[in-house]
């Protein structure tokens, strides 16, 4: 199946695609288009405006697909979805001023989750820079803190070299976003002798044999080892080596949200995700271990909680391609600055079975005692009411292993993290570090454009989807067969859960019900009515209100992979995400449900 990414008939009728194609000139905008093709870019997510029309005109005449989203933030999240699903460079294009600033949230999101995105912006002509011209903004200064490289190109001859350098920078080492800003006169200029340097990205020195032997010696003395692996494994494409190492050592593994899919969900050595809403056994393992082998992780606060209490009795070995992350949030016994592709070779060369059956038995008991499950039962008399976990579990049973799932941000995101059956890398795309609501739908569009023959489902919440529901128009315009599954509880659910737990149930500004509906009214039509909204964009949809309706509705949603479709599922309004470790607390403070906790657990209880 191939997506139809040509202009719709209505646009073609204006002559936009019927005009004769003129020979390429040597304008700066043409250099931009040509160079992007040469570095392997095949798709650009964009929104037009006065300062980028030169570039759009040039891009329309080369072998690059242009996907116009409904908002610049949709463009940058589309580029992210493309990059996260493929590992390739995602590219977005915006105009100056508000167009450029509308990219900033997505750029910061890409920085937090290490996603290679090239953001290209137009700007006012150089003679107007710094004069408060119409739609002028210093986007380079704004984005420098959240990019690996941010630069304004002031000489047209530098265009090819600047693009090659930016692309190499975005993909090198720890991936991340870069930004290039092109003033309009630079796009229009005709340089005589453009420079075209090639760039070789620097690589870490790698793991020495001595270091590999030292790690092997630490592992050999361990009685409670655990591998703590994250997004670096996904980014480096070393998931199979992670599995090989865990099996060679017979060592349990805990994954971060960014690492999900690096190891098949049904692997016997995988304990599941760890962190604030992670599996209890995974949190026990890293906190009661005597040796933590941390691979491609950043010791995020949502994972470690109180740094002084995290893995307090363990020796920690941290291997990461970004030297700045080593020891930043948690002191380590041994820090290794290395690309995981190189590091795994050394680790596997000296890996020996550890023989820790008592440790495995202990963790298995923790998993069996406190499995991931629906912690809060549906209220009496509502036997047919669905929970978010019910919906995601039913979806997981229908999806093939290669299916890509994106999420919005909120309770549905955590339920998806806990209950999807992820067996392949790059199949779970979620805003983990920045937690950006509205991420799910445009990211799903980017993934589907990149992988048109793969099922792509956006698991979204009603609050999160409401921030980007306009991108259904993009799905319709280009025939992008994204499936949107709305877990609809009529709340900003995670906000409401925190308000209940921390702020004495003072639910300020978190309700999403119709403000004019009678108190307690429930006619099966939630607010907003996403099915009607989808229809307004020409996208088919349906609503589910009872458990018995769900199987057939999911089957219908997945039936035609080329058709965009929205399924709005009303779930129990008061259901919460458990387990939960309160912010700043430790795994010993975990809450398993209303009024429940793990009880007193001493560190090193094993």
């Amino acid at each position: 199946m191939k997506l139809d990414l040509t202009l719709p008939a209505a646009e073609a009728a204006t002559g936009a695609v019927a005009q004769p194609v003129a020979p390429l000139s040597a304008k700066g905008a043409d250099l931009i288009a040509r160079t992007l093709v040469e570095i392997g870019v095949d798709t650009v997510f964009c929104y037009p405006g006065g300062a980028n029309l030169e570039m759009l005109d040039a891009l329309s005449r080369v072998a690059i697909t242009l996907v116009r989203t409904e908002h610049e933030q949709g463009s940058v999240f589309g580029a992210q979805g493309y990059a996260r699903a493929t590992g390739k460079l995602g590219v977005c294009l915006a105009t100056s001023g508000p167009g450029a600033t509308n990219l900033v949230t997505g750029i910061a999101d890409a920085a937090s989750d290490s996603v290679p995105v090239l953001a290209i912006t137009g700007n006012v002509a150089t003679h107007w820079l710094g004069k408060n011209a119409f739609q002028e903004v210093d986007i380079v200064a704004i984005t420098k803190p959240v990019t690996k490289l941010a630069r304004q190109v002031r000489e047209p001859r530098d265009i090819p070299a600047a693009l090659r350098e930016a692309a190499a920078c975005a993909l090198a080492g720890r991936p991340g976003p870069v930004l290039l800003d092109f003033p309009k006169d630079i796009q229009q200029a005709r340089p005589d002798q453009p420079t075209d340097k090639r760039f070789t990205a620097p690589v870490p020195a790698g793991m020495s044999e001595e270091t590999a032997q030292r790690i092997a010696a630490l592992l050999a003395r361990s009685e409670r080892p655990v591998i703590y692996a994250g997004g670096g494994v996904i980014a480096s494409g070393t998931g199979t080596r992670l599995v090989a190492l865990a099996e060679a050592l017979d060592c349990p593994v805990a994954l971060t949200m960014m690492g999900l899919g690096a190891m098949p969900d049904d692997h016997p050595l995988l304990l599941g995700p760890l962190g604030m809403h992670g599996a209890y056994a995974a949190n026990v393992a890293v906190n009661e271990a005597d040796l933590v082998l941390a691979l491609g992780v950043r010791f995020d606060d949502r994972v470690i909680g109180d740094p002084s209490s995290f893995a307090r009795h363990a020796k920690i070995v941290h291997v990461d391609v970004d030297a700045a992350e080593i020891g930043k949030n948690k002191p380590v016994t041994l820090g290794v600055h290395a690309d995981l592709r190189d590091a795994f070779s050394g680790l596997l060369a000296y890996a020996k079975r550890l023989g820790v059956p008592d440790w495995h038995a202990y963790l298995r008991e923790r998993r069996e005692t406190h499995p991931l499950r629906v912690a809060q039962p549906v209220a009496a008399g509502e036997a047919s009411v669905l929970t978010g976990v019910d919906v995601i579990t039913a979806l997981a049973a229908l999806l093939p292993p290669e299916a890509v799932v994106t999420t919005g941000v909120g309770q549905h995101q955590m339920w998806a993290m806990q209950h999807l059956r992820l067996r392949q890398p790059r199949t779970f795309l979620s805003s983990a570090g920045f937690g950006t609501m509205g991420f799910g739908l445009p990211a799903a569009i980017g993934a589907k454009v990149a992988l048109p023959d793969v099922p792509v489902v956006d698991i979204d919440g009603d609050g999160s989807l409401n921030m980007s529901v306009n991108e259904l128009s993009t799905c319709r315009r280009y025939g992008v067969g994204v499936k949107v599954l709305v877990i609809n509880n009529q709340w900003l659910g995670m906000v409401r859960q925190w308000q209940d737990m921390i702020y004495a149930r003072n639910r300020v500004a978190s309700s999403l019900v119709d403000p004019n509906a009678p108190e307690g009214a429930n006619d099966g039509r939630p607010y907003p009515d996403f099915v009607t909204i989808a229809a307004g964009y020409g996208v088919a949809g349906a609503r589910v209100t009872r458990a018995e309706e769900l199987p057939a509705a999911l089957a219908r949603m997945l039936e035609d992979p080329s058709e965009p479709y929205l399924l709005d599922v009303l779930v129990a309004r008061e259901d919460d995400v458990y387990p939960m470790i309160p912010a700043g607390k430790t795994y010993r403070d975990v809450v398993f449900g209303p009024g429940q906790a793990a009880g007193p657990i001493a560190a090193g209880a094993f």
Side-chain angles (χ1 to χ4, degrees):
M1 187 270 294
K2 182 173 177 60
L3 296 174
D4 180 10
L5 293 174
T6 57
L7 284 173
E11 293 185 39
T14 67
V17 294
Q19 296 173 352
V21 176
L24 287 177
S25 69
K27 287 198 299 186
D30 293 312
L31 286 177
I32 293 169
R34 292 176 185 178
T35 307
L36 287 174
V37 171
E38 290 170 5
I39 63 179
V41 174
D42 57 23
T43 305
V44 173
F45 299 85
C46 63
Y47 199 92
N52 70 359
L53 290 181
E54 290 281 350
M55 290 184 281
L56 281 169
D57 183 66
L59 287 166
S60 72
R61 296 194 299 268
V62 298
I64 286 178
T65 295
L66 294 173
V67 179
R68 194 206 86 194
T69 59
E70 294 307 306
H71 191 283
E72 289 88 358
Q73 187 164 295
S75 294
V76 66
F77 284 144
Q80 272 211 54
Y82 180 100
R84 289 179 188 239
T86 64
K88 296 164 60 178
L89 182 69
V91 182
C92 59
L93 171 66
T95 189
S96 61
T101 56
N102 280 344
L103 296 178
V104 175
T105 295
I107 291 171
D109 189 286
S112 187
D113 285 351
S114 306
V115 182
V117 167
L118 167 59
I120 299 173
T121 53
N123 214 326
V124 300
T126 53
H127 60 274
W128 282 112
L129 290 171
K131 298 180 180 180
N132 197 26
F134 177 69
Q135 292 193 337
E136 180 207 354
V137 73
D138 188 350
I139 193 62
V140 170
I142 290 171
T143 57
K144 270 188 180 297
V146 289
T147 54
K148 294 180 71 177
L149 178 152
R151 174 186 175 189
Q152 186 177 79
V153 180
R154 300 289 290 269
E155 293 290 339
R157 66 174 177 269
D158 293 339
I159 287 172
L163 284 164
R164 292 185 188 279
E165 180 188 22
C169 179
L171 291 162
R174 178 181 178 176
V178 295
L179 178 136
L180 290 180
D181 187 50
F182 294 97
K184 191 160 187 177
D185 57 325
I186 303 303
Q187 301 171 45
Q188 296 169 327
R190 301 173 184 269
D192 293 329
Q193 294 181 318
T195 57
D196 197 6
K197 298 177 183 177
R198 299 310 196 256
F199 289 86
T200 302
V203 296
M207 180 184 286
S208 67
E209 185 174 2
E210 179 185 358
T211 299
Q213 290 175 334
R214 184 178 173 190
I215 295 172
L218 289 170
L219 283 164
R221 292 193 292 271
S222 172
E223 295 180 354
R224 304 187 303 279
V226 66
I227 295 173
Y228 157 36
V233 176
I234 301 290
S236 60
T238 53
T240 55
R241 298 191 204 182
L242 171 66
V243 175
L245 179 64
E247 291 177 346
L249 296 170
D250 190 30
C251 183
V253 178
L255 296 175
T256 67
M257 183 189 294
M258 287 298 298
L260 292 176
M263 193 170 190
D265 188 66
D266 57 354
H267 197 287
L269 290 173
L270 181 61
L271 300 171
L274 78 165
M276 177 176 282
H277 294 293
Y280 180 57
N283 283 318
V284 167
V286 294
N287 280 285
E288 296 190 8
D290 61 6
L291 191 285
V292 175
L293 179 57
L295 304 174
V297 298
R298 59 187 183 89
F299 291 86
D300 176 68
D301 62 298
R302 287 295 178 96
V303 168
I304 69 173
D306 176 11
S308 64
S309 300
F310 178 77
R312 61 189 304 175
H313 298 296
K315 292 181 171 63
I316 299 176
V317 176
H318 186 187
V319 184
D320 204 277
V321 73
D322 185 355
E325 289 295 342
I326 298 173
K328 183 177 79 174
N329 293 338
K330 177 71 180 180
V332 299
T333 306
L334 175 60
V336 183
H337 179 212
D339 190 307
L340 285 176
R341 284 167 285 207
D342 175 75
F344 271 114
S345 298
L347 293 170
L348 285 164
Y350 293 96
K352 293 182 180 179
R353 189 175 181 86
L354 301 179
V356 287
D358 291 344
W359 177 233
H360 283 298
Y362 177 72
L363 295 177
R364 186 165 52 250
E365 182 184 358
R366 305 280 85 67
R367 181 190 292 179
E368 292 170 354
T369 303
H370 295 293
L372 287 172
R373 62 188 180 189
V374 181
Q376 184 173 335
V378 175
E382 294 184 325
S384 66
V385 175
L386 288 155
T387 66
V389 173
D390 293 333
V391 179
I392 291 167
T393 302
L395 174 68
L398 297 176
L399 292 179
E402 71 275 12
V404 174
V405 172
T406 69
T407 77
V409 169
Q411 288 179 316
H412 66 280
Q413 178 190 28
M414 297 297 102
W415 288 323
M417 175 193 76
Q418 293 173 342
H419 296 281
L420 284 172
R421 300 174 181 173
L422 299 164
R423 298 187 179 94
Q424 295 184 14
R426 300 193 180 278
T427 56
F428 184 72
L429 316 182
S430 191
S431 174
F434 214 53
T436 308
M437 294 176 68
F439 173 92
L441 177 52
I445 292 171
K448 186 66 174 178
V449 168
L451 305 170
D453 297 321
V454 173
V456 177
V457 180
D458 167 33
I459 298 176
D460 227 321
D462 45 327
S464 194
L465 178 61
N466 213 27
M467 291 193 172
S468 57
V469 70
N470 56 331
E471 297 302 342
L472 287 174
S473 180
T474 307
C475 296
R476 170 69 172 180
R477 178 178 303 111
Y478 299 108
V480 182
V482 165
K483 313 301 182 183
V484 181
L485 178 62
V486 189
I487 310 297
N488 192 336
N489 59 12
Q490 295 284 276
W491 290 106
L492 298 176
M494 192 60 79
V495 172
R496 193 270 307 155
Q497 181 172 340
W498 281 52
Q499 288 172 330
D500 287 358
M501 296 181 70
I502 304 170
Y503 298 98
R505 296 178 63 83
N506 186 20
R507 298 173 171 184
V508 180
S510 55
S511 175
L512 298 180
V513 299
D514 184 348
N516 297 314
E519 184 69 26
N522 182 11
D523 61 359
R525 292 177 62 85
Y527 178 85
D529 185 340
F530 287 115
V531 176
T532 298
I533 292 171
Y537 286 117
V539 172
R543 177 170 297 113
V544 169
T545 62
R546 299 175 66 84
E548 55 268 30
E549 302 167 346
L550 182 63
L554 287 172
R556 168 67 185 90
M557 180 184 78
L558 298 171
E559 189 174 61
D560 184 351
S562 65
E563 174 193 36
Y565 194 90
L566 183 143
L567 183 61
D568 187 21
V569 184
L570 273 61
V571 298
R573 294 201 66 215
E574 302 285 323
D575 202 17
D576 288 337
V577 180
Y578 294 108
M580 177 179 178
I581 300 174
K585 300 293 185 177
T586 76
Y587 80 109
R588 295 188 295 278
D589 304 302
V590 63
V591 178
F592 291 111
Q596 302 176 40
I601 303 174
F606 174 79

